[in-house]
PDB file of all heavy atoms in Angstrom:
ATOM      1  N   ILE A   9      -7.809   6.139   4.640  1.00 90.00           N
ATOM      2  CA  ILE A   9      -8.537   5.631   5.802  1.00 90.00           C
ATOM      3  C   ILE A   9      -8.846   6.816   6.719  1.00 90.00           C
ATOM      4  O   ILE A   9      -7.972   7.335   7.402  1.00 90.00           O
ATOM      5  CB  ILE A   9      -7.706   4.584   6.582  1.00 90.00           C
ATOM      6  CG1 ILE A   9      -7.273   3.436   5.680  1.00 90.00           C
ATOM      7  CG2 ILE A   9      -8.489   4.060   7.784  1.00 90.00           C
ATOM      8  CD1 ILE A   9      -8.395   2.570   5.157  1.00 90.00           C
ATOM      9  N   THR A  10     -10.098   7.231   6.696  1.00 93.00           N
ATOM     10  CA  THR A  10     -10.497   8.378   7.515  1.00 93.00           C
ATOM     11  C   THR A  10     -10.740   7.928   8.949  1.00 93.00           C
ATOM     12  O   THR A  10     -10.878   6.729   9.229  1.00 93.00           O
ATOM     13  CB  THR A  10     -11.812   8.976   6.989  1.00 93.00           C
ATOM     14  OG1 THR A  10     -12.811   7.949   7.070  1.00 93.00           O
ATOM     15  CG2 THR A  10     -11.670   9.470   5.553  1.00 93.00           C
ATOM     16  N   GLY A  11     -10.821   8.915   9.854  1.00 92.00           N
ATOM     17  CA  GLY A  11     -11.145   8.613  11.247  1.00 92.00           C
ATOM     18  C   GLY A  11     -12.487   7.901  11.348  1.00 92.00           C
ATOM     19  O   GLY A  11     -12.651   6.979  12.148  1.00 92.00           O
ATOM     20  N   THR A  12     -13.435   8.308  10.512  1.00 93.00           N
ATOM     21  CA  THR A  12     -14.770   7.697  10.558  1.00 93.00           C
ATOM     22  C   THR A  12     -14.705   6.234  10.144  1.00 93.00           C
ATOM     23  O   THR A  12     -15.295   5.354  10.786  1.00 93.00           O
ATOM     24  CB  THR A  12     -15.725   8.452   9.608  1.00 93.00           C
ATOM     25  OG1 THR A  12     -15.637   9.838   9.920  1.00 93.00           O
ATOM     26  CG2 THR A  12     -17.145   7.969   9.741  1.00 93.00           C
ATOM     27  N   ALA A  13     -13.939   5.937   9.073  1.00 94.00           N
ATOM     28  CA  ALA A  13     -13.813   4.551   8.608  1.00 94.00           C
ATOM     29  C   ALA A  13     -13.089   3.705   9.663  1.00 94.00           C
ATOM     30  O   ALA A  13     -13.466   2.561   9.925  1.00 94.00           O
ATOM     31  CB  ALA A  13     -13.043   4.512   7.292  1.00 94.00           C
ATOM     32  N   PHE A  14     -12.079   4.300  10.286  1.00 95.00           N
ATOM     33  CA  PHE A  14     -11.307   3.568  11.298  1.00 95.00           C
ATOM     34  C   PHE A  14     -12.181   3.269  12.517  1.00 95.00           C
ATOM     35  O   PHE A  14     -12.199   2.148  13.034  1.00 95.00           O
ATOM     36  CB  PHE A  14     -10.079   4.393  11.690  1.00 95.00           C
ATOM     37  CG  PHE A  14      -9.226   3.718  12.724  1.00 95.00           C
ATOM     38  CD1 PHE A  14      -8.700   2.449  12.507  1.00 95.00           C
ATOM     39  CD2 PHE A  14      -8.945   4.350  13.928  1.00 95.00           C
ATOM     40  CE1 PHE A  14      -7.924   1.818  13.460  1.00 95.00           C
ATOM     41  CE2 PHE A  14      -8.163   3.735  14.886  1.00 95.00           C
ATOM     42  CZ  PHE A  14      -7.663   2.458  14.661  1.00 95.00           C
ATOM     43  N   ARG A  15     -12.957   4.288  12.944  1.00 94.00           N
ATOM     44  CA  ARG A  15     -13.853   4.086  14.094  1.00 94.00           C
ATOM     45  C   ARG A  15     -14.869   2.989  13.775  1.00 94.00           C
ATOM     46  O   ARG A  15     -15.155   2.125  14.610  1.00 94.00           O
ATOM     47  CB  ARG A  15     -14.572   5.391  14.418  1.00 94.00           C
ATOM     48  CG  ARG A  15     -15.614   5.228  15.502  1.00 94.00           C
ATOM     49  CD  ARG A  15     -16.331   6.518  15.788  1.00 94.00           C
ATOM     50  NE  ARG A  15     -15.514   7.404  16.593  1.00 94.00           N
ATOM     51  CZ  ARG A  15     -15.994   8.346  17.379  1.00 94.00           C
ATOM     52  NH1 ARG A  15     -17.279   8.536  17.449  1.00 94.00           N
ATOM     53  NH2 ARG A  15     -15.200   9.110  18.076  1.00 94.00           N
ATOM     54  N   SER A  16     -15.391   3.011  12.536  1.00 95.00           N
ATOM     55  CA  SER A  16     -16.369   2.012  12.122  1.00 95.00           C
ATOM     56  C   SER A  16     -15.746   0.607  12.163  1.00 95.00           C
ATOM     57  O   SER A  16     -16.368  -0.345  12.647  1.00 95.00           O
ATOM     58  CB  SER A  16     -16.865   2.372  10.722  1.00 95.00           C
ATOM     59  OG  SER A  16     -17.606   1.325  10.209  1.00 95.00           O
ATOM     60  N   PHE A  17     -14.511   0.496  11.687  1.00 96.00           N
ATOM     61  CA  PHE A  17     -13.795  -0.791  11.742  1.00 96.00           C
ATOM     62  C   PHE A  17     -13.660  -1.265  13.194  1.00 96.00           C
ATOM     63  O   PHE A  17     -13.927  -2.431  13.515  1.00 96.00           O
ATOM     64  CB  PHE A  17     -12.408  -0.636  11.097  1.00 96.00           C
ATOM     65  CG  PHE A  17     -11.457  -1.723  11.481  1.00 96.00           C
ATOM     66  CD1 PHE A  17     -11.557  -2.984  10.917  1.00 96.00           C
ATOM     67  CD2 PHE A  17     -10.469  -1.496  12.426  1.00 96.00           C
ATOM     68  CE1 PHE A  17     -10.687  -4.002  11.284  1.00 96.00           C
ATOM     69  CE2 PHE A  17      -9.604  -2.511  12.804  1.00 96.00           C
ATOM     70  CZ  PHE A  17      -9.710  -3.766  12.228  1.00 96.00           C
ATOM     71  N   MET A  18     -13.278  -0.360  14.095  1.00 96.00           N
ATOM     72  CA  MET A  18     -13.023  -0.744  15.486  1.00 96.00           C
ATOM     73  C   MET A  18     -14.297  -1.177  16.214  1.00 96.00           C
ATOM     74  O   MET A  18     -14.226  -1.856  17.243  1.00 96.00           O
ATOM     75  CB  MET A  18     -12.353   0.405  16.253  1.00 96.00           C
ATOM     76  CG  MET A  18     -10.903   0.665  15.878  1.00 96.00           C
ATOM     77  SD  MET A  18      -9.802  -0.768  16.038  1.00 96.00           S
ATOM     78  CE  MET A  18      -9.879  -1.100  17.788  1.00 96.00           C
ATOM     79  N   ARG A  19     -15.465  -0.799  15.677  1.00 96.00           N
ATOM     80  CA  ARG A  19     -16.726  -1.208  16.313  1.00 96.00           C
ATOM     81  C   ARG A  19     -16.871  -2.724  16.358  1.00 96.00           C
ATOM     82  O   ARG A  19     -17.586  -3.269  17.182  1.00 96.00           O
ATOM     83  CB  ARG A  19     -17.919  -0.600  15.558  1.00 96.00           C
ATOM     84  CG  ARG A  19     -18.142   0.867  15.856  1.00 96.00           C
ATOM     85  CD  ARG A  19     -19.094   1.491  14.855  1.00 96.00           C
ATOM     86  NE  ARG A  19     -20.421   0.888  14.861  1.00 96.00           N
ATOM     87  CZ  ARG A  19     -21.424   1.275  15.633  1.00 96.00           C
ATOM     88  NH1 ARG A  19     -21.252   2.269  16.472  1.00 96.00           N
ATOM     89  NH2 ARG A  19     -22.596   0.676  15.567  1.00 96.00           N
ATOM     90  N   ASP A  20     -16.184  -3.427  15.442  1.00 97.00           N
ATOM     91  CA  ASP A  20     -16.283  -4.885  15.416  1.00 97.00           C
ATOM     92  C   ASP A  20     -15.337  -5.560  16.401  1.00 97.00           C
ATOM     93  O   ASP A  20     -15.306  -6.790  16.481  1.00 97.00           O
ATOM     94  CB  ASP A  20     -15.998  -5.414  14.001  1.00 97.00           C
ATOM     95  CG  ASP A  20     -17.203  -5.260  13.090  1.00 97.00           C
ATOM     96  OD1 ASP A  20     -18.313  -5.019  13.612  1.00 97.00           O
ATOM     97  OD2 ASP A  20     -17.038  -5.370  11.865  1.00 97.00           O
ATOM     98  N   TRP A  21     -14.550  -4.761  17.131  1.00 97.00           N
ATOM     99  CA  TRP A  21     -13.642  -5.326  18.127  1.00 97.00           C
ATOM    100  C   TRP A  21     -14.319  -5.259  19.492  1.00 97.00           C
ATOM    101  O   TRP A  21     -14.543  -4.168  20.035  1.00 97.00           O
ATOM    102  CB  TRP A  21     -12.326  -4.530  18.128  1.00 97.00           C
ATOM    103  CG  TRP A  21     -11.326  -4.964  19.150  1.00 97.00           C
ATOM    104  CD1 TRP A  21     -10.846  -4.206  20.182  1.00 97.00           C
ATOM    105  CD2 TRP A  21     -10.664  -6.229  19.243  1.00 97.00           C
ATOM    106  NE1 TRP A  21      -9.940  -4.940  20.910  1.00 97.00           N
ATOM    107  CE2 TRP A  21      -9.806  -6.180  20.348  1.00 97.00           C
ATOM    108  CE3 TRP A  21     -10.722  -7.401  18.488  1.00 97.00           C
ATOM    109  CZ2 TRP A  21      -9.009  -7.259  20.734  1.00 97.00           C
ATOM    110  CZ3 TRP A  21      -9.935  -8.475  18.861  1.00 97.00           C
ATOM    111  CH2 TRP A  21      -9.089  -8.394  19.971  1.00 97.00           C
ATOM    112  N   ALA A  22     -14.687  -6.413  20.033  1.00 98.00           N
ATOM    113  CA  ALA A  22     -15.357  -6.447  21.347  1.00 98.00           C
ATOM    114  C   ALA A  22     -14.334  -6.227  22.447  1.00 98.00           C
ATOM    115  O   ALA A  22     -13.229  -6.777  22.408  1.00 98.00           O
ATOM    116  CB  ALA A  22     -16.049  -7.786  21.540  1.00 98.00           C
ATOM    117  N   THR A  23     -14.696  -5.395  23.418  1.00 98.00           N
ATOM    118  CA  THR A  23     -13.797  -5.135  24.550  1.00 98.00           C
ATOM    119  C   THR A  23     -14.574  -5.237  25.855  1.00 98.00           C
ATOM    120  O   THR A  23     -15.808  -5.182  25.869  1.00 98.00           O
ATOM    121  CB  THR A  23     -13.203  -3.710  24.487  1.00 98.00           C
ATOM    122  OG1 THR A  23     -14.252  -2.776  24.741  1.00 98.00           O
ATOM    123  CG2 THR A  23     -12.529  -3.428  23.159  1.00 98.00           C
ATOM    124  N   GLY A  24     -13.843  -5.310  26.950  1.00 98.00           N
ATOM    125  CA  GLY A  24     -14.435  -5.080  28.247  1.00 98.00           C
ATOM    126  C   GLY A  24     -14.576  -3.575  28.459  1.00 98.00           C
ATOM    127  O   GLY A  24     -14.213  -2.771  27.592  1.00 98.00           O
ATOM    128  N   VAL A  25     -15.129  -3.208  29.591  1.00 98.00           N
ATOM    129  CA  VAL A  25     -15.296  -1.789  29.932  1.00 98.00           C
ATOM    130  C   VAL A  25     -14.774  -1.577  31.351  1.00 98.00           C
ATOM    131  O   VAL A  25     -15.047  -2.394  32.240  1.00 98.00           O
ATOM    132  CB  VAL A  25     -16.780  -1.359  29.844  1.00 98.00           C
ATOM    133  CG1 VAL A  25     -16.929   0.125  30.140  1.00 98.00           C
ATOM    134  CG2 VAL A  25     -17.356  -1.682  28.472  1.00 98.00           C
ATOM    135  N   ALA A  26     -14.030  -0.484  31.523  1.00 98.00           N
ATOM    136  CA  ALA A  26     -13.451  -0.186  32.839  1.00 98.00           C
ATOM    137  C   ALA A  26     -13.581   1.304  33.125  1.00 98.00           C
ATOM    138  O   ALA A  26     -13.814   2.108  32.209  1.00 98.00           O
ATOM    139  CB  ALA A  26     -11.977  -0.597  32.866  1.00 98.00           C
ATOM    140  N   VAL A  27     -13.448   1.658  34.395  1.00 98.00           N
ATOM    141  CA  VAL A  27     -13.340   3.067  34.776  1.00 98.00           C
ATOM    142  C   VAL A  27     -11.914   3.298  35.271  1.00 98.00           C
ATOM    143  O   VAL A  27     -11.456   2.616  36.199  1.00 98.00           O
ATOM    144  CB  VAL A  27     -14.367   3.455  35.868  1.00 98.00           C
ATOM    145  CG1 VAL A  27     -14.096   4.866  36.382  1.00 98.00           C
ATOM    146  CG2 VAL A  27     -15.777   3.353  35.322  1.00 98.00           C
ATOM    147  N   VAL A  28     -11.224   4.227  34.599  1.00 98.00           N
ATOM    148  CA  VAL A  28      -9.889   4.624  35.041  1.00 98.00           C
ATOM    149  C   VAL A  28     -10.049   5.742  36.058  1.00 98.00           C
ATOM    150  O   VAL A  28     -10.795   6.703  35.815  1.00 98.00           O
ATOM    151  CB  VAL A  28      -9.032   5.101  33.851  1.00 98.00           C
ATOM    152  CG1 VAL A  28      -7.737   5.734  34.329  1.00 98.00           C
ATOM    153  CG2 VAL A  28      -8.724   3.938  32.945  1.00 98.00           C
ATOM    154  N   THR A  29      -9.395   5.600  37.204  1.00 98.00           N
ATOM    155  CA  THR A  29      -9.526   6.591  38.274  1.00 98.00           C
ATOM    156  C   THR A  29      -8.155   7.184  38.607  1.00 98.00           C
ATOM    157  O   THR A  29      -7.121   6.578  38.353  1.00 98.00           O
ATOM    158  CB  THR A  29     -10.108   5.956  39.547  1.00 98.00           C
ATOM    159  OG1 THR A  29      -9.297   4.848  39.909  1.00 98.00           O
ATOM    160  CG2 THR A  29     -11.529   5.502  39.336  1.00 98.00           C
ATOM    161  N   SER A  30      -8.214   8.379  39.183  1.00 98.00           N
ATOM    162  CA  SER A  30      -6.988   8.976  39.721  1.00 98.00           C
ATOM    163  C   SER A  30      -7.418  10.018  40.748  1.00 98.00           C
ATOM    164  O   SER A  30      -8.591  10.051  41.147  1.00 98.00           O
ATOM    165  CB  SER A  30      -6.137   9.589  38.602  1.00 98.00           C
ATOM    166  OG  SER A  30      -4.857   9.923  39.105  1.00 98.00           O
ATOM    167  N   THR A  31      -6.491  10.840  41.138  1.00 98.00           N
ATOM    168  CA  THR A  31      -6.796  11.795  42.191  1.00 98.00           C
ATOM    169  C   THR A  31      -6.259  13.162  41.792  1.00 98.00           C
ATOM    170  O   THR A  31      -5.143  13.277  41.280  1.00 98.00           O
ATOM    171  CB  THR A  31      -6.238  11.261  43.527  1.00 98.00           C
ATOM    172  OG1 THR A  31      -6.627  12.091  44.579  1.00 98.00           O
ATOM    173  CG2 THR A  31      -4.749  11.057  43.511  1.00 98.00           C
ATOM    174  N   GLN A  32      -7.142  14.168  41.961  1.00 96.00           N
ATOM    175  CA  GLN A  32      -6.758  15.539  41.612  1.00 96.00           C
ATOM    176  C   GLN A  32      -6.744  16.321  42.910  1.00 96.00           C
ATOM    177  O   GLN A  32      -7.797  16.730  43.379  1.00 96.00           O
ATOM    178  CB  GLN A  32      -7.779  16.113  40.639  1.00 96.00           C
ATOM    179  CG  GLN A  32      -7.334  17.392  39.971  1.00 96.00           C
ATOM    180  CD  GLN A  32      -8.259  17.709  38.821  1.00 96.00           C
ATOM    181  OE1 GLN A  32      -9.485  17.679  38.979  1.00 96.00           O
ATOM    182  NE2 GLN A  32      -7.710  18.031  37.681  1.00 96.00           N
ATOM    183  N   GLY A  33      -5.572  16.458  43.523  1.00 94.00           N
ATOM    184  CA  GLY A  33      -5.543  16.917  44.897  1.00 94.00           C
ATOM    185  C   GLY A  33      -6.214  15.836  45.732  1.00 94.00           C
ATOM    186  O   GLY A  33      -5.867  14.669  45.633  1.00 94.00           O
ATOM    187  N   ALA A  34      -7.240  16.254  46.522  1.00 93.00           N
ATOM    188  CA  ALA A  34      -7.956  15.266  47.351  1.00 93.00           C
ATOM    189  C   ALA A  34      -9.138  14.671  46.601  1.00 93.00           C
ATOM    190  O   ALA A  34      -9.736  13.689  47.062  1.00 93.00           O
ATOM    191  CB  ALA A  34      -8.427  15.937  48.624  1.00 93.00           C
ATOM    192  N   ALA A  35      -9.493  15.238  45.451  1.00 96.00           N
ATOM    193  CA  ALA A  35     -10.728  14.841  44.780  1.00 96.00           C
ATOM    194  C   ALA A  35     -10.531  13.626  43.873  1.00 96.00           C
ATOM    195  O   ALA A  35      -9.568  13.582  43.097  1.00 96.00           O
ATOM    196  CB  ALA A  35     -11.253  16.012  43.954  1.00 96.00           C
ATOM    197  N   PRO A  36     -11.461  12.652  43.981  1.00 97.00           N
ATOM    198  CA  PRO A  36     -11.379  11.521  43.063  1.00 97.00           C
ATOM    199  C   PRO A  36     -11.864  11.919  41.669  1.00 97.00           C
ATOM    200  O   PRO A  36     -12.833  12.671  41.542  1.00 97.00           O
ATOM    201  CB  PRO A  36     -12.327  10.496  43.692  1.00 97.00           C
ATOM    202  CG  PRO A  36     -13.315  11.309  44.459  1.00 97.00           C
ATOM    203  CD  PRO A  36     -12.602  12.551  44.892  1.00 97.00           C
ATOM    204  N   VAL A  37     -11.183  11.457  40.628  1.00 98.00           N
ATOM    205  CA  VAL A  37     -11.626  11.706  39.251  1.00 98.00           C
ATOM    206  C   VAL A  37     -11.566  10.381  38.498  1.00 98.00           C
ATOM    207  O   VAL A  37     -10.867   9.458  38.916  1.00 98.00           O
ATOM    208  CB  VAL A  37     -10.747  12.753  38.521  1.00 98.00           C
ATOM    209  CG1 VAL A  37     -10.867  14.113  39.158  1.00 98.00           C
ATOM    210  CG2 VAL A  37      -9.287  12.313  38.482  1.00 98.00           C
ATOM    211  N   GLY A  38     -12.300  10.323  37.390  1.00 98.00           N
ATOM    212  CA  GLY A  38     -12.258   9.080  36.622  1.00 98.00           C
ATOM    213  C   GLY A  38     -13.102   9.166  35.378  1.00 98.00           C
ATOM    214  O   GLY A  38     -13.972  10.046  35.256  1.00 98.00           O
ATOM    215  N   CYS A  39     -12.838   8.251  34.432  1.00 98.00           N
ATOM    216  CA  CYS A  39     -13.654   8.178  33.216  1.00 98.00           C
ATOM    217  C   CYS A  39     -13.682   6.741  32.697  1.00 98.00           C
ATOM    218  O   CYS A  39     -12.821   5.919  33.017  1.00 98.00           O
ATOM    219  CB  CYS A  39     -13.145   9.131  32.147  1.00 98.00           C
ATOM    220  SG  CYS A  39     -11.600   8.646  31.368  1.00 98.00           S
ATOM    221  N   THR A  40     -14.711   6.481  31.912  1.00 98.00           N
ATOM    222  CA  THR A  40     -14.916   5.165  31.312  1.00 98.00           C
ATOM    223  C   THR A  40     -13.935   4.959  30.165  1.00 98.00           C
ATOM    224  O   THR A  40     -13.712   5.869  29.365  1.00 98.00           O
ATOM    225  CB  THR A  40     -16.368   5.076  30.786  1.00 98.00           C
ATOM    226  OG1 THR A  40     -17.242   5.267  31.892  1.00 98.00           O
ATOM    227  CG2 THR A  40     -16.651   3.740  30.123  1.00 98.00           C
TER     228      THR A  40
END
Side-chain angles (χ1 to χ4, degrees):
I9 304 294
T10 61
T12 308
F14 180 57
R15 174 181 283 205
S16 169
F17 161 76
M18 288 304 297
R19 283 166 61 89
D20 281 345
W21 177 243
T23 69
V25 182
V27 172
V28 171
T29 55
S30 191
T31 186
Q32 193 167 48
V37 295
C39 72
T40 300

